[in-house]
Amino acid sequence: MANWRETNKHLRILRNAEAGQYGVIAAIAYNIEQVHGLIKAAKTARSPLIIQFFPWAIETFDGLLVRTAAEAAKRADVPISIHLDHAQSEDLIRRAAELPFDSIMVDMSHYEKEVNLSKTAQWVRHCNERQIATEAEPGRIEGGEDGVMDTAGLEACMTTAEEVDEFVATGVDALAPAFGNVHGEYGPQGPSLDFHR
């Protein structure tokens, strides 16, 4: 039997994008109309797609929107993965891992680094046992996103090379490093991204 990481849709999309040197849109869906429109656009463009949900989609709809999106993605003739973005509650991660997610962002960035690493490793194992890929956030990205603990006004903690190694050691599949990127708007000064980092 093949290793689940070889067949996981999310990881396959990322591997192909890296090999082909192209980006893949990860779009947030808030309702069934957006799920339908995003999938239709991906099919028309013949492009892979990552459909993202925030934690409220599980809490508000008891996972119904996620299950519907996963079923629609399965019927598409282009690769589409279903991703949970910024799962910051351990209870929510437990619930999400029983839903048809291809990937879950285990976001423990609101804890101190050592606790973040420990909890990330624990939930990465939990998700992997269910053949779900994982993402983590080393450092701290400024700004705010829907349903995510507000980090606006906090000074960003840039991700270091050491932190990358520490998070990779948790077994996580993808990282969302802090290198001057923000959640939300950059403001009038525009982005100041540390590409060297």
Side-chain angles (χ1 to χ4, degrees), residues 4 18 32 35 52 66 72 74 76 82 84 95 109 118-119 121 146 149 159 171 177 183 188:
W4 70 265
E18 183 178 13
I32 191 69
V35 168
Q52 297 189 137
V66 174
K74 198 183 307 180
I82 307 300
L84 177 61
R95 284 177 66 191
S109 65
S118 169
K119 288 182 179 290
D146 192 6
M149 276 187 209
T159 303
H183 293 137

Side-chain angles (χ1 to χ4, degrees), residues 5 18 32 35 60 66 75 77-78 83 92-93 100 132 137 144-145 151 174 180 188 190 195:
R5 280 190 165 88
E18 183 178 13
I32 191 69
V35 168
T60 304
V66 174
R75 295 169 185 244
D77 58 357
V78 293
H83 175 75
L92 186 99
I93 294 169
I132 299 171
E137 185 171 309
E145 285 189 279
T151 61
F195 287 109

Side-chain angles (χ1 to χ4, degrees), residues 7 14 20-21 33 85 95 98 131 144 160-161 173 177 187-188 194:
T7 57
L14 296 181
Q21 298 185 333
E33 291 84 3
D85 209 24
R95 284 177 66 191
E98 301 307 319
Q131 302 185 1
T160 66
D173 297 293
D194 184 348

Side-chain angles (χ1 to χ4, degrees), residues 31 56 81 117 122 133 155 181 186 191:
N31 55 43
W56 66 263
S81 76
L117 283 166
Q122 171 193 344
E155 184 177 330
N181 44 327
Y186 283 95

Side-chain angles (χ1 to χ4, degrees), residues 41-196:
K43 288 163 67 173
T44 300
R46 307 299 310 148
S47 173
L49 172 68
I50 298 167
I51 297 179
Q52 297 189 137
F53 291 99
F54 284 127
W56 66 263
I58 296 170
E59 296 161 340
T60 304
F61 299 112
D62 194 29
L64 181 61
L65 186 57
V66 174
R67 287 190 293 275
T68 302
E71 179 62 28
K74 198 183 307 180
R75 295 169 185 244
D77 58 357
V78 293
I80 298 174
S81 76
I82 307 300
H83 175 75
L84 177 61
D85 209 24
H86 293 288
Q88 296 182 314
S89 151
E90 294 178 81
D91 286 339
L92 186 99
I93 294 169
R94 187 177 290 106
R95 284 177 66 191
E98 301 307 319
L99 291 169
F101 282 107
D102 298 296
S103 176
I104 294 175
M105 182 187 203
V106 176
D107 182 0
M108 299 289 123
S109 65
H110 48 289
Y111 290 103
E112 293 298 320
K113 186 173 87 169
E114 292 310 316
V115 176
N116 183 351
L117 283 166
S118 169
K119 288 182 179 290
T120 297
Q122 171 193 344
W123 290 106
V124 163
R125 282 191 303 275
H126 183 84
C127 292
N128 286 177
E129 288 167 1
R130 288 147 183 83
Q131 302 185 1
I132 299 171
T134 53
E135 179 184 6
E137 185 171 309
R140 187 71 186 235
I141 300 175
E142 287 190 49
E145 285 189 279
D146 192 6
V148 178
M149 276 187 209
D150 189 13
T151 61
L154 292 178
E155 184 177 330
C157 179
M158 297 280 218
T159 303
T160 66
E162 177 189 10
E163 286 173 321
V164 169
D165 291 340
E166 291 169 337
F167 275 87
V168 167
T170 68
V172 72
D173 297 293
L175 293 178
F179 61 99
N181 44 327
V182 301
H183 293 137
E185 297 179 17
Y186 283 95
Q189 79 282 358
S192 178
L193 304 177
D194 184 348
F195 287 109
H196 178 72

